[in-house]
Amino acid sequence: RAKEIKTKLGTLLQKPDSSIDFIIPYPEKPEKPPKTQKPSPEEALQWRDSLEKLLQNPYGLASFCSFLRSEFSEENAEFWVACEDYKKIKSPVKMAEKAKKIYEEFIQTEAPKEVNIDHFTKAVTMKNLVEPSPSSFDMAQKRIFALMEKDSLPRFVRSEFYQELIK
């Protein structure tokens, strides 16, 4: 029985990714975040001290992604969002498909949007993907969050884009 499941899973993972594209609604690179949800200066000020609050706010996330794109480092935020979406998946089959897609896009060596994680984290993540679970990417996601918090957030806070938001 287990062998049969592994075979089916293996077959699934070989299929072309046509259906997988609908699982992750990656934002189609909005250059300007939607005007409607513009935060108050007070709200935007909170982002200086909390990457979490920034990433949870749709306008903040879009602003941060635009900023990272201008620095050619948007893969970190995209990876973080992909991991958040991944954790919400209930179906083991869809979870395996999404895990494979995230791995191929962000984790594997020479991936198109390879994120900067150490070898240990990469090894743990690959081991976790043998049997995908909601926590498969947790360690890598935490590393990337810490990287964005330490490097990207301070630069974002100094950017003109952010300065406009808190006026």
Side-chain angles (χ1 to χ4, degrees), residues 24 38 48 73 82 85 89 92 94 105 123 126-127 140 144:
I24 316 177
K38 189 169 183 184
R48 284 195 298 206
S73 64
D85 292 345
I89 298 172
K94 282 195 165 63
E105 194 168 354
M126 286 165 70
K127 195 167 126 311
I144 293 303

Side-chain angles (χ1 to χ4, degrees), residues 102-115:
I102 291 174
Y103 174 77
E104 288 173 350
E105 194 168 354
F106 299 104
I107 306 285
Q108 76 182 5
T109 307
E110 303 293 317
K113 297 178 180 180
E114 189 176 357
V115 289

Side-chain angles (χ1 to χ4, degrees), residues 130-144:
V130 174
E131 288 182 32
S133 77
S135 62
S136 292
F137 293 101
D138 283 4
M139 183 186 235
Q141 189 183 18
K142 282 188 180 87
R143 290 276 196 282
I144 293 303

Side-chain angles (χ1 to χ4, degrees), residues 79-85 87 107 117 121 125 134 137-148:
F79 173 68
W80 187 88
V81 169
C83 290
E84 287 299 291
D85 292 345
K87 289 186 232 176
I107 306 285
I117 52 174
T121 304
T125 304
F137 293 101
D138 283 4
M139 183 186 235
Q141 189 183 18
K142 282 188 180 87
R143 290 276 196 282
I144 293 303
F145 183 90
L147 189 71
M148 290 191 298

Side-chain angles (χ1 to χ4, degrees), residues 10-147:
T11 315
L12 246 178
L13 294 177
Q14 301 306 313
K15 282 188 179 168
D17 300 343
S18 56
S19 61
I20 297 175
D21 296 333
F22 299 109
I23 299 169
I24 316 177
Y26 280 120
E28 285 301 314
K29 303 210 186 284
E31 282 318 304
K32 282 210 170 121
K35 286 268 179 271
T36 50
Q37 307 140 307
K38 189 169 183 184
S40 67
E42 295 75 35
E43 198 178 349
L45 272 169
Q46 296 178 342
W47 300 344
R48 284 195 298 206
D49 307 311
S50 174
L51 179 60
E52 206 155 323
K53 281 184 180 160
L54 169 65
L55 296 174
Q56 285 167 357
N57 179 295
Y59 193 96
L61 177 62
S63 305
F64 191 56
C65 285
S66 290
F67 168 73
L68 291 175
R69 210 171 353 293
S70 75
E71 291 200 325
F72 304 100
S73 64
E74 71 267 25
E75 70 282 347
N76 290 336
E78 288 179 14
F79 173 68
W80 187 88
V81 169
C83 290
E84 287 299 291
D85 292 345
Y86 171 79
K87 289 186 232 176
K88 295 173 192 154
I89 298 172
K90 299 283 181 265
S91 152
V93 171
K94 282 195 165 63
M95 187 173 276
E97 289 174 349
K98 173 79 169 185
K100 179 178 188 275
K101 190 171 171 111
I102 291 174
Y103 174 77
E104 288 173 350
E105 194 168 354
F106 299 104
I107 306 285
Q108 76 182 5
T109 307
E110 303 293 317
K113 297 178 180 180
E114 189 176 357
V115 289
N116 187 1
I117 52 174
D118 57 276
H119 290 292
F120 177 72
T121 304
K122 191 179 269 197
V124 168
T125 304
M126 286 165 70
K127 195 167 126 311
N128 291 344
L129 293 177
V130 174
E131 288 182 32
S133 77
S135 62
S136 292
F137 293 101
D138 283 4
M139 183 186 235
Q141 189 183 18
K142 282 188 180 87
R143 290 276 196 282
I144 293 303
F145 183 90
L147 189 71

